[in-house]
Amino acid sequence: MPSPRLLCFSLLWLALAPLAQAQEGDPVLPYRPSVASPAQLPVPGQLEFEAGGLLSKTDDTRRASLPYTFKLAFNPEWGVLLAGEGYVRARDDTGRRETSVGDTTLVLKRAFLLDSATALGLELGWKLPTAKDSIGSGKSDVSLNGIVSRDLGAVHVDANVSATRLGASDPGAGRVQTGWAASFSLPVSDRWGATAEVSGTRLHGAPATAQVLLAATYSPTPRLAIDIGMARGLTAASPDWSLFSGLVMPLGKLW
């Protein structure tokens, strides 16, 4: 049976979706469901909200969370993101359960729009340890993410390479974790699209992670995007599988 918080989230989703469909204005720019982010920013002045549910399994452990992201561009080149997990429920291999809010990340983003098909981006992120130590690391992290986005015919490609200075790491492991992701999205019809992605991380002294992600997207209007999909781990250190679904919608035009 779903938890009360997951049920409340589902009801909120159903209540907000018709409102987003009824609004008129600029289209949204989804960053989810892929790990890789696009270089481009949303329409300046339009506050966008992304929310979803994520369930993952690794051996005998389980983790369920409600990730969210707020996105706001000041102009086509500069913007900020506020991301985190509104709720996390984790179960370890002994059966012990922990619940908490997740960590919170603030990101300053710079987009370099080269032409109508190509853009570069840089993201400087600061993770705040707002989660319980049993859920998060209990320390702040600083990250830098480089982005290349390009349209290759009908296929949109987002490639990310990142480096994160970890505030905490296991004994014998390094403090700088590198990450990579390559996402490919393709419109299937006027409202449906498909996304495929490979991504992973590396940390000296720790096993590498890698996963493949597949998702379907549905946009009943340009101002509402809904996604559903799954990810499968490719290494022993990666989650066995993950299931997710979410939406992207505008909250309002601030200027």
Side-chain angles (χ1 to χ4, degrees), residues 72-91:
L72 179 64
F74 306 122
N75 54 48
E77 291 81 30
W78 289 96
V80 292
L81 291 76
L82 181 68
E85 293 174 303
Y87 175 74
V88 180
R89 183 175 183 178
R91 189 188 75 187

Side-chain angles (χ1 to χ4, degrees), residues 49-255:
F49 176 59
E50 302 192 357
L54 173 64
L55 176 64
S56 62
K57 171 188 176 294
T58 305
D59 296 328
D60 293 328
T61 67
R62 302 288 190 279
R63 193 179 193 275
S65 66
L66 301 178
Y68 66 86
T69 301
F70 293 92
K71 312 193 304 281
L72 179 64
F74 306 122
N75 54 48
E77 291 81 30
W78 289 96
V80 292
L81 291 76
L82 181 68
E85 293 174 303
Y87 175 74
V88 180
R89 183 175 183 178
R91 189 188 75 187
D92 64 20
D93 53 6
T94 67
R96 186 182 65 177
R97 289 178 169 83
E98 295 281 356
T99 60
S100 170
V101 298
D103 290 328
T104 304
T105 301
L106 178 64
V107 177
L108 176 64
K109 183 162 186 169
R110 174 69 159 96
F112 303 86
L113 307 177
L114 304 184
D115 55 44
S116 60
T118 309
L120 307 178
L122 281 176
E123 294 178 336
L124 177 63
W126 180 31
K127 190 204 78 175
L128 304 174
T130 52
K132 292 166 56 175
D133 290 353
S134 56
I135 296 292
S137 67
K139 301 291 183 179
S140 295
D141 301 337
V142 178
S143 62
L144 182 64
N145 184 38
I147 308 169
V148 178
S149 294
R150 183 168 176 79
D151 293 328
L152 301 175
V155 179
H156 179 78
V157 180
D158 294 313
N160 290 196
V161 177
S162 65
T164 302
R165 172 69 176 180
L166 301 175
S169 60
D170 294 332
R175 296 291 294 273
V176 177
Q177 177 177 277
T178 57
W180 57 274
S183 174
F184 306 85
S185 56
L186 174 71
V188 177
S189 67
D190 290 342
R191 296 186 177 184
W192 286 93
T195 297
E197 180 187 60
V198 288
S199 63
T201 63
R202 293 186 65 87
L203 180 66
H204 178 73
T209 70
Q211 69 170 20
V212 59
L213 176 149
L214 299 173
T217 59
Y218 175 67
S219 297
T221 79
R223 291 172 61 79
L224 176 65
I226 301 170
D227 61 73
I228 185 170
M230 68 172 296
R232 176 71 177 178
L234 300 177
T235 69
S238 308
D240 297 337
W241 54 260
S242 300
L243 302 176
F244 57 83
S245 183
L247 60 80
V248 185
M249 62 178 290
L251 292 182
K253 188 76 170 178
L254 303 187
W255 62 80

